[in-house]
Amino acid sequence: MKMFLFSMLAISIGAQAQSVFLPENGKYIYRLPEITDSMSNQPYLNKRLTWNELYKLDKRRNEYIVKNWFQRDWYVMQDMFALDFNGYLNSQKASTFNEAKRKQYSRFAFDKKGFYHHKTVPAMKEWGGLTHPPLKQINVPLEKIDKNFAPIDYSTVKSPYFSPILQLDIDRMTKSELTFGNKVVPLADKDAFEKKKQLIRNAKESILMSSLVYVCDKGTKQIVNLLINKHRQGVDVKILTDGFIGKILGHTECLKTMRNAGIEVIETKDFFKHKLKAIYHTKTLVTDFTEAVAGGHNMIDADNLSRGTDFNNRDVDLYVKGPMVTDIAKQFVENWEYQRIYIKGLKSLTSQIRVVKANLASERKNGLRGDEFYNQILSNPDTRMAGVCRFIKQAPYQDRHSIGKAYLKLLDRVQRHLVIEDPVKSDTYVGKPSDAPISEMMDNFDMFNLLHNKVQSLAKKGLPIDYITTNINMAGNENVAIMNERIKDQLNDGKKLLANWSLVKLIASNSYYGKPHYKNLMTDWMPFKNVHVWTHMSFMHSKIFYFDRIVASVGSYNFQHNATDQAYESTAICMDESLNRDLDKILVQDMANSIPLIFSGVR
């Protein structure tokens, strides 16, 4: 790796003397009519738009690249071709889209060093490794995409998840409880950002907000300006963020701006107390104790401005209205009170604690929470899938395994289908410290090992599992989106040497995270025919476990040892018919916009 980086740097310096940006090398000799002709043996592609730009062909990946690719709007370019859905199925002699895709990719050789398929059909670079333009809308029944997503009659379906005994067991193990009648709506990509802005604008009394980082980019500055305006209007604004990651990465500007405006901001202080691993990873927003957004989105443009297939983050939050909002507020207040002991002069959230206690009592009195209602709610087909949710808080000062304990109980009872969305599969089973990477030998893997082995046992039993994660071009996480944007700005400013160096760092990040990611995917998950691994064209930042399409967990909790064993995390676990129907669409679309990890040979 070091030799590679030095070589790339030397090349970039030499290229700068000639004012050349490395990816722009090559012969741009193709125009769209010629490209269309080369795709004539792919009857499922139809040209939609016409333009006169020049392209070159990357022969390794069989992808056409437009000149000045980094300075283009890739999301718009994806619409230059349209997919003939039935034509794609017919071309592969398949009954579903995912079956067709797996058949097609199974014939492509796979490069185990570069972790990409050698496609035997040409494609466009902006398709992100797909052989077709991304599916931005699903206009067919979901079972035509994937057979595991046929309609469910929730009024008659039977499931062990409706057992009051199971739910009481999870209560006891996680110190959480079910609430009823919640409205829960998934918010994908920039929809979460827009909802957060709306809630902040509408706040009348209080705003409680947390994020791992507040990267001071375009989207975050919009949020910060709204928060400051609300503070000046007399709304009580409280901000929680991690006190280590932001400093290390230099993301403190927006925190200082809020502090200077008079907003109380806590940067967590206990990272070093908990084996250098206790990052504050939970991401929530509560306004006026009546509405909330919770999930995986951080304050960063890669999340806030994402359109799903534009090589930013693919992420999902939940909008919540109902009694679970009180639980989300409660975890914020408890974490604030704990962190307050490290900060002199910071007052207790006395009024917020009083509101939480009053809301808990009122909701219990009105039958919106509590185990005394479990039999009634869970035995009734009209109520058991109507916003029945719990919010689980995980904190190293209390219980760093609470979410994992719930997952183990739920995994024990999965019967038909499991879907996992997870950013990067950086971990595998660690039996002893020497099995872990050097930097992680002192870490805890207790809960991760239990979860890993549990899902492995389900795979061995033949349970259908869809594992949706990230492809090699995006494995470097948010760094890729940041570097893509930086390269674009540097090229626009004529700084090609810096653009080349940014490209080196982008490639290095993908390699650093991508190698263990693909190694673990191919060793632990690919050998099972019933486990389908999907690598999304964007960075898959969602953290979802979906059990039998009955129980859905959406939160900040990665399937990775830092989350499972050490960090501050949270997740909402719900049984809700409307939520599930929306999640079905999101998950099916994510598989459709993913490269299946399947191949016939190796190069």
Side-chain angles (χ1 to χ4, degrees):
M1 172 58 70
K2 288 183 179 179
M3 286 300 297
F4 169 77
L5 291 176
F6 283 127
S7 297
M8 288 293 290
L9 178 58
I11 292 171
S12 74
I13 292 172
Q16 173 63 13
Q18 302 173 37
S19 298
V20 173
F21 177 51
L22 289 174
E24 293 176 355
N25 285 335
K27 296 181 179 179
Y28 290 88
I29 57 175
Y30 303 97
R31 295 194 187 274
L32 209 54
E34 298 168 285
I35 294 172
T36 304
D37 289 342
S38 75
M39 295 179 175
S40 60
N41 63 339
Q42 296 161 262
Y44 51 85
L45 293 175
N46 298 316
K47 188 175 73 171
R48 293 181 59 194
L49 303 175
T50 300
W51 68 345
N52 201 35
E53 303 293 330
L54 284 169
Y55 289 78
K56 67 177 179 179
L57 179 63
D58 178 348
K59 293 183 179 179
R60 296 176 308 149
R61 303 194 183 204
N62 208 358
E63 292 177 351
Y64 288 101
I65 307 169
V66 72
K67 196 167 186 179
N68 303 322
W69 189 80
F70 276 90
Q71 295 159 283
R72 305 287 185 173
D73 187 333
W74 308 313
Y75 189 80
V76 172
M77 290 171 61
Q78 290 164 356
D79 294 334
M80 299 197 55
F81 286 85
L83 172 69
D84 180 338
F85 185 87
N86 290 324
Y88 188 68
L89 268 58
N90 293 335
S91 72
Q92 306 302 321
K93 297 180 173 57
S95 59
T96 68
F97 189 79
N98 283 350
E99 179 192 359
K101 178 171 287 196
R102 290 182 65 81
K103 278 188 173 183
Q104 185 181 45
Y105 277 83
S106 70
R107 296 192 293 269
F108 299 156
F110 188 74
D111 189 316
K112 279 197 171 182
K113 292 184 178 179
F115 305 112
Y116 63 90
H117 290 84
H118 290 267
K119 298 185 292 294
T120 59
V121 295
M124 310 300 285
K125 181 176 174 63
E126 55 268 21
W127 297 351
L130 303 175
T131 57
H132 57 81
L135 273 66
K136 297 178 180 178
Q137 299 287 334
I138 301 294
N139 299 316
V140 298
L142 298 186
E143 63 268 29
K144 290 295 290 182
I145 304 282
D146 192 287
K147 65 179 182 180
N148 289 315
F149 286 83
I152 293 177
D153 184 350
Y154 284 105
S155 66
T156 60
V157 68
K158 296 181 179 180
S159 172
Y161 298 127
F162 301 139
S163 164
I165 295 174
L166 168 64
Q167 298 299 338
L168 286 167
D169 207 12
I170 296 176
D171 286 3
R172 177 182 58 81
M173 301 181 79
T174 65
K175 302 295 189 293
S176 66
E177 64 180 350
L178 291 180
T179 57
F180 321 117
N182 292 284
K183 178 182 179 181
V184 278
V185 180
L187 302 168
D189 308 319
K190 66 179 182 178
D191 288 347
F193 177 59
E194 296 301 326
K195 175 59 75 172
K196 289 173 186 176
K197 290 194 293 183
Q198 178 190 24
L199 294 188
I200 293 170
R201 288 192 191 101
N202 294 340
K204 300 293 189 295
E205 297 178 357
S206 67
I207 298 170
L208 310 175
M209 187 174 189
S210 68
S211 174
L212 172 67
V213 290
Y214 287 78
V215 177
C216 217
D217 48 24
K218 297 175 185 176
T220 304
K221 286 179 179 178
Q222 292 182 42
I223 293 286
V224 166
N225 288 336
L226 289 172
L227 292 169
I228 291 172
N229 288 339
K230 282 296 172 180
H231 170 72
R232 289 171 176 166
Q233 293 169 20
V235 174
D236 186 17
V237 181
K238 298 290 188 288
I239 302 296
L240 253 173
T241 188
D242 186 76
F244 181 75
I245 300 296
K247 283 188 172 66
I248 290 296
L249 299 178
H251 300 312
T252 59
E253 178 187 347
C254 276
L255 300 177
K256 291 176 182 176
T257 299
M258 288 189 284
R259 276 204 183 95
N260 290 339
I263 294 174
E264 286 188 318
V265 177
I266 283 184
E267 296 173 77
T268 56
K269 305 296 183 183
D270 56 346
F271 176 80
F272 293 98
K273 183 178 179 180
H274 301 287
K275 295 189 175 183
L276 311 183
K277 288 292 180 180
I279 63 171
Y280 196 87
H281 196 244
T282 189
K283 308 103 188 281
T284 59
L285 169 68
V286 180
T287 57
D288 296 338
F289 293 91
T290 58
E291 295 178 274
V293 175
H297 283 69
N298 288 303
M299 283 293 102
I300 183 173
D301 280 354
D303 267 328
N304 293 334
L305 307 185
S306 172
R307 293 171 286 181
T309 64
D310 58 354
F311 308 112
N312 281 296
N313 289 357
R314 174 62 163 171
D315 210 342
V316 176
D317 274 359
L318 280 185
Y319 165 74
V320 182
K321 188 170 185 179
M324 188 166 63
V325 173
T326 303
D327 297 308
I328 300 172
K330 181 173 178 282
Q331 66 85 33
F332 182 98
V333 170
E334 289 177 349
N335 287 340
W336 182 282
E337 291 297 293
Y338 175 76
Q339 291 297 326
R340 191 172 62 85
I341 66 176
Y342 296 99
I343 304 172
K344 291 182 179 180
L346 199 62
K347 295 181 180 179
S348 173
L349 299 185
T350 305
S351 62
Q352 289 87 342
I353 293 171
R354 189 162 50 246
V355 172
V356 167
K357 288 181 177 179
N359 287 352
L360 288 172
S362 173
E363 290 158 6
R364 198 173 307 281
K365 180 180 179 180
N366 291 311
L368 296 176
R369 68 169 62 242
D371 57 16
E372 61 268 38
F373 303 105
Y374 284 10
N375 282 319
Q376 172 189 337
I377 296 291
L378 297 174
S379 63
N380 185 343
D382 293 332
T383 57
R384 67 191 183 190
M385 291 293 297
V388 178
C389 299
R390 69 173 73 241
F391 190 78
I392 302 181
K393 164 199 171 186
Q394 180 171 296
Y397 67 87
Q398 281 181 334
D399 184 351
R400 56 188 173 86
H401 291 150
S402 54
I403 296 174
K405 290 173 182 177
Y407 277 15
L408 288 172
K409 287 290 181 182
L410 296 170
L411 288 167
D412 272 339
R413 288 158 178 80
V414 68
Q415 297 176 331
R416 297 182 296 274
H417 186 211
L418 175 66
V419 184
I420 299 172
E421 282 203 333
D422 185 49
V424 176
K425 182 38 61 195
S426 56
D427 286 340
T428 187
Y429 179 82
V430 175
K432 54 185 182 298
S434 59
D435 292 339
I438 294 174
S439 62
E440 298 169 354
M441 284 185 177
M442 300 301 293
D443 291 3
N444 294 307
F445 286 79
D446 300 338
M447 180 54 71
F448 173 81
N449 284 341
L450 291 173
L451 289 171
H452 174 86
N453 287 345
K454 179 64 68 175
V455 180
Q456 282 276 298
S457 71
L458 294 172
K460 292 173 183 175
K461 290 177 182 177
L463 180 78
I465 299 174
D466 285 301
Y467 197 113
I468 310 171
T469 184
T470 303
N471 81 90
I472 187 59
N473 293 324
M474 300 300 299
N477 58 67
E478 289 91 342
N479 292 332
V480 178
I482 291 171
M483 288 300 165
N484 279 335
E485 191 67 25
R486 188 169 297 170
I487 289 169
K488 177 180 179 179
D489 291 341
Q490 288 165 344
L491 291 175
N492 286 338
D493 293 339
K495 300 175 181 178
K496 295 189 176 182
L497 174 60
L498 291 177
N500 281 317
W501 181 233
S502 295
L503 178 66
V504 171
K505 290 191 284 186
L506 188 158
I507 294 170
S509 183
N510 279 336
S511 178
Y512 177 80
Y513 292 102
K515 285 184 177 180
H517 174 56
Y518 273 86
K519 178 184 175 182
N520 292 331
L521 289 174
M522 289 191 287
T523 301
D524 293 338
W525 306 108
M526 195 179 164
F528 303 102
K529 291 184 178 180
N530 51 296
V531 178
H532 292 175
V533 178
W534 306 95
T535 60
H536 198 270
M537 61 177 296
S538 289
F539 180 61
M540 178 52 66
H541 199 251
S542 301
K543 305 98 166 45
I544 296 173
F545 269 65
Y546 197 29
F547 308 87
D548 281 343
R549 294 171 64 204
I550 300 292
V551 177
S553 176
V554 180
S556 67
Y557 190 80
N558 292 314
F559 192 8
Q560 187 264 350
H561 78 277
N562 196 44
T564 60
D565 284 88
Q566 282 135 164
Y568 288 83
E569 303 285 357
S570 62
T571 196
I573 300 180
C574 293
M575 295 185 290
D576 182 75
E577 180 176 348
S578 177
L579 168 65
N580 288 5
R581 297 197 190 284
D582 288 340
L583 269 184
D584 285 349
K585 295 175 185 177
I586 289 171
L587 296 171
V588 164
Q589 186 177 27
D590 286 347
M591 287 187 282
N593 291 329
S594 293
I595 305 156
L597 188 56
I598 186 171
F599 48 84
S600 61
V602 176
R603 286 192 186 180

